[in-house]
Each structure stands twice: as C-alpha cells, then as structure tokens.
Amino acid sequence: MAMAQQRDSAGQGEAPAAFDPSRQYDVMVAGGGNAALCAAISARRTGASVIVVESASEFFRGGNTRHTRNMRCAHDAATDTLTGPYYEDEFWEDMLRVTGGQTDEHLCKMMIHESKDMLNWIVEQGVRFQAPIGGTLSLGRTNSFFLGGGRAMLNALYKTAKKLGIEIVYEAEVVGMDVEDGFFKSATVKHKGHDYVVRARALVAACGGFESNFEWLERGWGPAARNFLIRGTANNKGTVLDMLIKSGVQQIGDPTQCHAVAIDARAPKYDGGIITRLDCVVFGIVVNKLAQRFYDEGEDVWPKRYAIWGRLVAGQPDQIAYIVFDASSLKLFMPSLFPPIQSDTIEGLAQKLELEPAALAKTVADFNAAVRPGTFDPTVLDDCRTEGLTPAKTHWARKIEKGPFYAYPVRPGITFTYLGTKVNEESRMLMADGRPSANMFAAGEIMAGNVLGRGYAAGVGMTIGSVFGRIAGREAAKNARN
Amino acid sequence: MHATKALTEADRLMTVCNSCRYCEGLCAVFPAMEMRRNFEDGDLNYLANLCHNCGACFVDCQFSPPHEFNVNVPQNFARVRAESYGQYAWPFAMPGVFARNGLAISIVAALSIALFIIGFVAYANPAALYASGDEAGAFYRVMPHNTMAVIFGAAFAFGILGLVGSSLTFWRSTRRPDAPALTFADLLQAMKDAGSLRYLDGAGAGCYTSDEMTDSRRHAHHATFYGFLLCFASTSVATLYHYVLGRQAPYGWTELPVILGVLGGIGIVIGPIGLYVNKLKRKPETIDAESEGMNLAFIAMLFATGVTGLLLLVLRATPAMGILQALHLGVVFALFITMPYGKFVHGFYRYLALVRYAGEKKQLEAGGGVD
C-alpha cells in the first residue's frame, strides 16, 4: 500500500495538515453535500476521527444541496413548520407512485420511518426551518423548508462539523482508490496540483451522480447530450461512482437515465439552479425549431408535467423548444430570471426566435381554430381543450390571440442521475456477488437509485441524503472501531 | 429605465430573488418583494430602506459572488439607501456629496462652529472663556441663553423641517397607486418592529460578521438609539425647567435632566463604539464603501456629542468649561444641520418602510396584492 505522500512537480502549495501521511482516519467521507456532512457528523458523534474531502471550493461546496430548499419527512402531527400530519403510509404511497414501483420496498420504508426523527436530528445539527409561508409550492404539509435555503442548511452543517473537530479539505478531488475485494484501504486525493494518499478504516461515498460529466451522458443520450444544461454543480462527474463499480460494487438504477426538466435555454451551463425553471407550459403551446407542436401541453398538473418536458425537449431537433403564450397568461405563473421574448405579432415573435414566421403563424392559427370553449381554471384539470388537432391539448387550451405575444426558449435541464451503488439497510455497499463490502458505505445521490429508481418527489433527495448519510456515518464509525 | 446604476442593479437583483424566494423567511424585504412583479425606482427605494443590512441573505445565497449571477443584495441596497438619502433630501437634493464626504463635512462644520464661538467670546469677553464655577446660569457666560436658544432653535428647526420634508418625499415616491390606506395599527406595528430591530437579527441567528453570527450590532444600535432618545428627553426636560420652572442650568447631579443626560450620553458613547467595532468585523463584501463616509460621520458625531457632553458635565466647575461648551455646541450644531442630508434620516425612512410593509402585509393576508 502506498503510504508515502506522492507529489507531482507542477504544484507549489503547502500540504494541508489533514493530509499528514502518518495519519489513518477512522472514516473518510468523499463529497461535501447534505449526505456527506450528515455522515461525517454522525460518524464523529459516534466517536470516530473523520476527514471530509470535497472537490469544490469553499464557496461552491455542497454539490446540489446548495440548490435545494426542503426535505420531505414523515410526521404524525402538525408542527411549527409543517401544516399537517404526513403519515408513513402516505409517504410510501407517494414513493410508489412517483417511482412507478421502481424502489426497494424494504429500504424505502426504512428511510420513511427514519425520516420522522430526522426532523429532530437535523435541527440538533444546527439546521433551521422556516414557517410555511407563500411561494412554497403548496408543500407546507409534507415538506420542511430550510430557512434561507440549501446553502444556509449547508452553512449550519459545516459549522457544526468544524466545531466537532472534523477535518474538511476543499478542492480535494478523489482521483484514485485502493480497494481490494470490497475492502477500502486508501484514496488518492488531488489538491492544488498535488496528489495525496488518504488512509481510512472506512469509506463513505457521498459525492453525487455523474450528471456534470458530458462524456458519460453522451453514452446514454448520444451527441444530443451536448445541448443539455446542468441545473446544479459542475463537480458531479461520477468519478468515484465509476471507480466503485469498476472495483466490483453492485450497481443499481438505469445507467443512462437522469431527471430532466425543461429550463430556460439562456441559463448557464452549470449551477443555474432554481431560478431558471419555467412552469408555464400549460398556459400556451410548445413548438420545436420547425415551429411544430409535439406533445399535449395540457396533459397533467404540476409536478408531473414538470418532470416530463426535459425528456420531451431532448427528443426534438437541436434539443430546443419554445413555449409560446399571449398577454392573458403573463401573470399566471412565478416570475423567472430571464424575461420572455416579446413581440406584437406572432410573425415578429417567430423572427426573434429565428423560427420560420409563416410556419409559427400556421401552427398558432391551427391551434386557435381547434380550441373549444370551456371554463379556464389553472388549479384543476379543466374542460378547455382542442378538438381535431394532433397532438391535442387536453386541458387549459385557450386561444393565443391577445398581443403582445411571448416566448421562452427551453432546453433539457439535468437535475441528477439515477445510476448508483447498491446498499443494504446499514447503507453499506453490496458487491456484485451480493456480499456486503467490508468497510464501504454510500449516501445521497450516489445511492439514491435504491429507493428512487425513477421519477422524483420534491424534497426526497434531501431525505435520502440525510437519512442514509446519518446511517452510513454511524455504521462506518462502528465498523472502523471493530 | 432607472435613475441610477445602483437602481438598475437593484432591479436585476430583485428579478433574480423573486424567481428564487429561498430567503423569504429571513426578513421583511423578501416578502415585500414577492408582492411585486416589476420594480420601479420607488419600489426599490422602499425595499432598500426596509433592509437592515444584517447580511443573512448574502451568506445564504447560492448565487452570491463568485457565482456568475453575482447576487449581493446587502451591498447594493446599502448603495441604493445612501442614494435615496441624497435624492429625497429636502429642501435641496444632495446626491452623492454628503455620502462621500460626510465625515469631513461634519467634522469641519463642528470645529468651525466651535472655533467661531471661542473666537467670538475671546474677542467680546476673554475672561468668560476660562472662568470657573457651576452656579446657576454658568453655561450662559459663554453664550447668553437667548442667543443660544435662537441659534440652536433655528438649527434644530432646520433639521426637523428637513427631516419632515424628506420623509414626506420618501413616503410619496415609494407609494404605489393601489397602496393600502395608512392605519394607526400600521404605525404601531412599525414602531414595535423598529424599536426592537426585529429584522436585524438574521431571522434569529444574529447579524453576520466575517465569520460568525452575533447580536452585538443590534445591542450597539439599541444603546445608540435609546441613548439618543434619552439625550433628547434630557434637553426637553431642561427646556421645561428653564421656561416653566424658571430654573437655570446647570442642574445638580440628582436632577432629571442630568440623570437622563448621563444615561443617554453613556448610550451614545458606547453605542457608536460598538457599531464601529462591528463595522470592522462585518463581511467586507456586504459593505458599500462609497457611503461609508456618511455612516462614519453619523456615529462619529453622536460619539462626539456624547463625549463632549459628558466631559462638560464632569468638568463644568473648572476653567475648561468654556472651551468644552464651545466644542459641545459646535458638534450639536453640526449634527442638527446635517440631519436631513446624512445617515440620520435612515431611522425615518426605515420606520416609514416598516409602516408601508405592515400595511402591505395586512392587505396580502386579507387576500389582496400589491400588483
């Protein structure tokens, strides 16, 4: 085993004390988000020495957690921050529904049960929730909202971790791992141009999926993936996930699939977060770059419709589409970062969007001609629909006729990937042959596929991170002492 | 189009924040923002003056610098606030001049007045300057009471008129056509919110310094604000003593004007020190360097008022009294005449913004909306 510090000639900086080659930690946590910090804190509170290696800089620490806002936990009664009970049974039904049954029932029910105490435990770690108020997407009963959002939550966890004496190194990317027959010995960590070997008695992998790795996305999606936008961190390259699978850990979840929503095409490639989302599909029509409609915009209510449009747009030429609506809808949805593109005529709008004006005018005219009268109500599946149009718009169909006309360009925005490492109820990784790993644990997005094989329910990512993080840390600490 | 670069940036920031809303639980600014979809100059000046600059939203924001969205609400709002003081100043707007040079202007004004008084006395009656004794009427050796009352009454009236005019301008320009009617309950609610500095606590975590959250800034501000009120009360009581009871200053140590003045004086000495120390510890990114001159001027002048006032009290029976009194009068005079142009107005605009917010909140809860 390589114990000596390895240095390359390029870098200059001082070696952080945390990388002292004579040290062997009880637990090494790879990653720096909610799952990683819950694991680190839980391991430390169980008495272990802990090092956290986070590939991001201090500001960008925490992966996708910094873009989250809430956590879904079961509870039997209303609290200061939740408007009503959310029993374990209902949570389980919701998980069954969103995953279409692609979930490990045993693990998922355990997570739901453990989520109840998470509302207390996470608060003990310094995290604060806000009272349910406006703008919280009608989730006030089921989901607890972090006061100040995900970055505030992270700040609290990091503060606690520091106070507990957990070593944290930023800009520290795991680039190599020494794993023998399911037994973790050490990891090679790149930090400011140097490679360091970090030894630990147990590993917790909590470093996300592979959604920011375009080469990997291309394996599943072909060249279309190049046009995807990544809603969160640029650091989820799946390096550790790949190493674990190659060293014999059993994989779970569809290796190509990702959670994709339609977001504003003008968003940055990474880290655009919540403010680039658009929830106005239902108020107009969606056309591709040929100015043709391609799917029923009125199929379903949020959040189901939210999650299918990323995939739909990914299937269109150049992975771009345009939501077109008129003045009557402008104020019916949450404002977003970029203003809509605007024109007094449909033809003018088409020109600004670089679409064929005659084609867009015909699409809108055909749509308007097919709209049947009805009573518009955006809160229910109403009776406003088209007749004799393919594809139909089955609800909320209103003529697009009142100028000025508006459009948002949209592209697929990737939230997370489903591929992960198989774990058991100790959050311990299982090897391809079904045996549990001797000392490797996983938490968060890297193992989310165990309970979330597809789909998504708001706040479940954070539940997975916190619950399995807490378990993984505790079990890793126990494991290290045996 | 917005009147200034800072307002244009404030509009951009509020557009970003309004599509995120993660900070809505932190203070009054974000709920007030959510009641709007577009932001005119008046809206932005209102929101900026509603902001207490605790810094919580900056450390909580996933889009603050170095993120490319560069969201820094506390710093931009500090800029917008400073500009609003100049813009709404009455009778004449003073954009920028005071914000940049507030400290120098105040010190020069205070010293000039002090020197003028000393020079005047030295020319007219040199003996009075160094006379000692604290018999009734001793203060008026340097300047006869009536002269003092006329000069300072005029300076104070100028300050008050300016404050009233500025506050009215602020109130009118931040009012939307559909604003709720002003009620007594709103005035009362705002008084509670301002008096307790409800929104200077990072929603319970305290105010953000460079590495931790603390409540020390709120405490220092309380000492300053309530100290100032006590000094004001002391002067008011003394005025009553003079005109109603016909008793001349200086008063004994156990008399009300002195007790109020001592407590208040201590407040405006330790409060500004606390505020200054806090300033040094604040996250530098959240501070607007351009308006620091004005902010410093304000706490420096309050501090100087307190120190010269307390010294005058302690040394009033000695030959130093004359010079000290001239200094104290100079500082107070400078404080009065710069009131409508500097940081002093922040209390008035903040209060009015809180009144507006109290009304809007009620309107929203009743099912209405601002937009």
Side-chain angles (χ1 to χ4, degrees), chain A residues 57 59-60 66-69 128 130 133-136 145-153 155 159 267-277 330-338, chain B residues 12 15-26 31 34 36-38 56-69 71 201-206 208 211-213 371:
Chain A
S57 64
F59 173 79
F60 281 104
R66 52 202 308 287
H67 291 290
T68 66
R69 188 180 185 186
R128 302 191 300 152
Q130 73 170 52
I133 48 176
T136 50
F145 283 71
F146 306 127
L147 183 63
R151 190 171 164 224
M153 187 249 193
N155 291 344
K159 201 175 162 192
K269 197 71 176 166
Y270 297 102
D271 261 314
I274 189 71
I275 64 180
T276 60
R277 62 137 168 32
L330 187 63
K331 291 186 177 179
L332 294 178
F333 51 91
M334 275 266 293
S336 65
L337 175 62
F338 300 100
Chain B
R12 183 189 77 86
T15 305
V16 173
C17 294
N18 210 14
S19 47
C20 171
R21 303 187 172 186
Y22 283 14
C23 286
E24 65 187 352
L26 294 179
E34 288 179 20
R36 294 160 164 76
R37 275 185 90 102
N38 63 317
C57 64
F58 181 78
V59 294
D60 289 353
C61 180
Q62 65 272 37
F63 303 122
S64 56
H67 191 285
E68 63 185 291
F69 290 160
V71 173
D201 76 337
Y208 286 73
D211 53 354
E212 58 177 333
M213 289 86 88
D371 185 30

Side-chain angles (χ1 to χ4, degrees), chain B residues 13-331:
Chain B
L13 292 176
M14 287 301 97
T15 305
V16 173
C17 294
N18 210 14
S19 47
C20 171
R21 303 187 172 186
Y22 283 14
C23 286
E24 65 187 352
L26 294 179
C27 66
V29 169
F30 299 99
M33 166 199 78
E34 288 179 20
M35 294 181 227
R36 294 160 164 76
R37 275 185 90 102
N38 63 317
F39 303 95
E40 309 288 334
D41 284 0
D43 298 312
L44 296 165
N45 282 319
Y46 157 59
L47 293 172
N49 278 285
L50 199 51
C51 168
H52 292 48
N53 203 346
C54 75
C57 64
F58 181 78
V59 294
D60 289 353
C61 180
Q62 65 272 37
F63 303 122
S64 56
H67 191 285
E68 63 185 291
F69 290 160
N70 195 27
V71 173
N72 188 342
V73 174
Q75 186 186 49
N76 169 260
F77 273 12
R79 182 91 283 267
V80 172
R81 269 197 305 279
E83 285 180 1
S84 77
Y85 305 158
Q87 185 198 335
Y88 297 128
W90 189 90
F92 4 85
M94 272 189 130
V97 180
F98 197 86
R100 283 190 296 276
N101 309 304
L103 187 59
I105 293 174
S106 301
I107 290 174
V108 169
L111 289 179
S112 311
I113 306 294
L115 282 175
F116 178 79
I117 296 171
I118 292 168
F120 184 80
V121 177
Y123 174 76
N125 180 10
L129 201 56
Y130 298 110
S132 55
D134 60 351
E135 74 286 354
F139 284 156
Y140 311 118
R141 286 197 297 258
V142 168
M143 188 187 281
H145 179 269
N146 288 344
T147 314
M148 204 187 281
V150 167
I151 292 177
F152 282 80
F156 187 63
F158 173 81
I160 292 296
L161 258 179
L163 285 175
V164 171
S166 308
S167 298
L168 282 175
T169 319
F170 172 78
W171 181 255
R172 278 197 294 261
S173 359
T174 57
R175 187 170 57 200
R176 289 204 156 204
D178 54 352
L182 183 64
T183 69
F184 182 69
D186 299 343
L187 294 172
L188 204 66
Q189 180 63 48
M191 212 177 283
K192 281 186 208 158
D193 294 343
S196 63
L197 294 176
R198 175 172 171 188
Y199 298 112
L200 188 64
D201 76 337
C207 191
Y208 286 73
T209 63
S210 51
D211 53 354
E212 58 177 333
M213 289 86 88
T214 110
D215 228 7
S216 62
R217 188 152 148 244
R218 189 148 69 137
H219 296 152
H221 191 286
H222 280 329
T224 312
F225 175 64
Y226 290 105
F228 180 81
L229 286 188
L230 286 170
C231 291
F232 189 70
S234 162
T235 308
S236 307
V237 171
T239 305
L240 291 178
Y241 273 32
H242 186 88
Y243 287 109
V244 180
L245 304 180
R247 295 184 44 203
Q248 295 216 333
Y251 304 108
W253 282 89
T254 54
E255 296 202 68
L256 198 53
V258 175
I259 293 171
L260 291 171
V262 168
L263 291 176
I266 292 171
I268 60 172
V269 169
I270 61 167
I273 292 175
L275 289 172
Y276 182 71
V277 170
N278 239 285
K279 222 176 242 310
L280 300 177
K281 287 201 247 167
R282 296 263 298 287
K283 271 191 173 298
E285 304 95 306
T286 62
I287 288 176
D288 170 47
E290 264 189 76
S291 50
E292 274 307 278
M294 174 180 68
N295 297 339
L296 274 177
F298 186 47
I299 55 175
M301 292 311 280
L302 285 172
F303 176 75
T305 304
V307 168
T308 53
L310 289 174
L311 278 176
L312 185 56
L313 177 70
V314 174
L315 303 175
R316 61 188 182 181
T318 73
M321 193 262 263
I323 300 281
L324 276 173
Q325 196 185 1
L327 264 178
H328 186 61
L329 292 175
V331 171

Side-chain angles (χ1 to χ4, degrees), chain A residues 141-448:
Chain A
R141 179 175 67 90
T142 53
N143 290 36
S144 298
F145 283 71
F146 306 127
L147 183 63
R151 190 171 164 224
M153 187 249 193
L154 278 170
N155 291 344
L157 291 181
Y158 272 94
K159 201 175 162 192
T160 301
K162 259 195 173 153
K163 217 161 43 191
L164 291 172
I166 293 168
E167 301 274 4
I168 298 164
V169 192
Y170 299 109
E171 297 169 59
E173 188 191 357
V174 176
V175 292
M177 271 205 288
D178 188 356
V179 176
E180 221 174 84
D181 195 23
F183 183 83
F184 171 83
K185 294 176 174 171
S186 68
T188 305
V189 176
K190 197 176 203 66
H191 175 75
K192 297 188 174 168
H194 298 290
D195 283 351
Y196 301 95
V197 171
V198 177
R199 295 179 302 131
R201 294 184 184 87
L203 167 77
V204 177
C207 43
F210 65 87
E211 66 274 7
S212 5
N213 184 333
F214 279 94
E215 278 168 30
W216 199 335
L217 287 173
E218 263 189 84
R219 280 184 237 155
W221 293 83
R226 290 277 151 196
N227 285 326
F228 292 176
L229 302 170
I230 310 306
R231 303 179 68 205
T233 175
N235 296 303
N236 281 6
K237 306 232 179 262
T239 333
V240 170
L241 176 61
D242 186 50
M243 284 187 266
L244 288 169
I245 291 171
K246 282 184 178 146
S247 62
V249 173
Q250 191 180 140
Q251 69 180 57
I252 189 164
D254 191 318
T256 64
Q257 289 304 302
C258 48
H259 182 262
V261 301
I263 64 168
D264 200 306
R266 295 163 288 184
K269 197 71 176 166
Y270 297 102
D271 261 314
I274 189 71
I275 64 180
T276 60
R277 62 137 168 32
L278 289 166
D279 194 30
C280 53
V281 163
V282 290
F283 299 114
I285 59 171
V286 182
V287 300
N288 60 18
K289 66 176 288 192
L290 307 171
Q292 302 302 313
R293 290 176 61 245
F294 52 90
Y295 198 82
D296 176 4
E297 299 90 350
E299 185 182 51
D300 211 338
V301 290
W302 191 93
K304 196 172 155 199
R305 64 167 182 253
Y306 186 60
I308 62 171
W309 280 91
R311 194 167 306 278
L312 289 170
V313 175
Q316 295 304 308
D318 289 349
Q319 293 70 52
I320 188 140
Y322 305 89
I323 306 170
V324 177
F325 56 97
D326 72 5
S328 60
S329 301
L330 187 63
K331 291 186 177 179
L332 294 178
F333 51 91
M334 275 266 293
S336 65
L337 175 62
F338 300 100
I341 293 158
Q342 175 182 345
S343 176
D344 288 335
T345 63
I346 291 290
E347 287 80 0
L349 188 65
Q351 262 161 6
K352 286 189 177 170
L353 300 174
E354 295 179 12
L355 302 179
E356 176 56 43
L360 185 62
K362 182 174 184 316
T363 299
V364 172
D366 290 350
F367 172 77
N368 286 348
V371 170
R372 295 296 116 212
T375 311
F376 179 72
D377 183 352
T379 60
V380 295
L381 295 169
D382 71 3
D383 62 349
C384 297
R385 57 187 180 80
T386 60
E387 226 170 73
L389 188 70
T390 313
K393 183 173 178 185
T394 52
H395 304 96
W396 309 296
R398 293 191 301 170
K399 288 182 182 174
I400 299 171
E401 55 186 4
K402 187 181 168 221
F405 301 97
Y406 300 96
Y408 285 109
V410 290
R411 284 196 186 280
I414 312 303
T415 322
F416 60 86
T417 48
Y418 291 101
L419 175 69
T421 59
K422 175 101 181 116
V423 299
N424 65 14
E425 69 282 351
E426 291 177 347
S427 225
R428 187 188 292 268
M429 291 184 215
L430 298 181
M431 307 307 290
D433 59 12
R435 281 179 308 126
S437 155
N439 63 350
M440 298 196 296
F441 302 80
E445 187 185 341
I446 200 171
M447 49 64 66

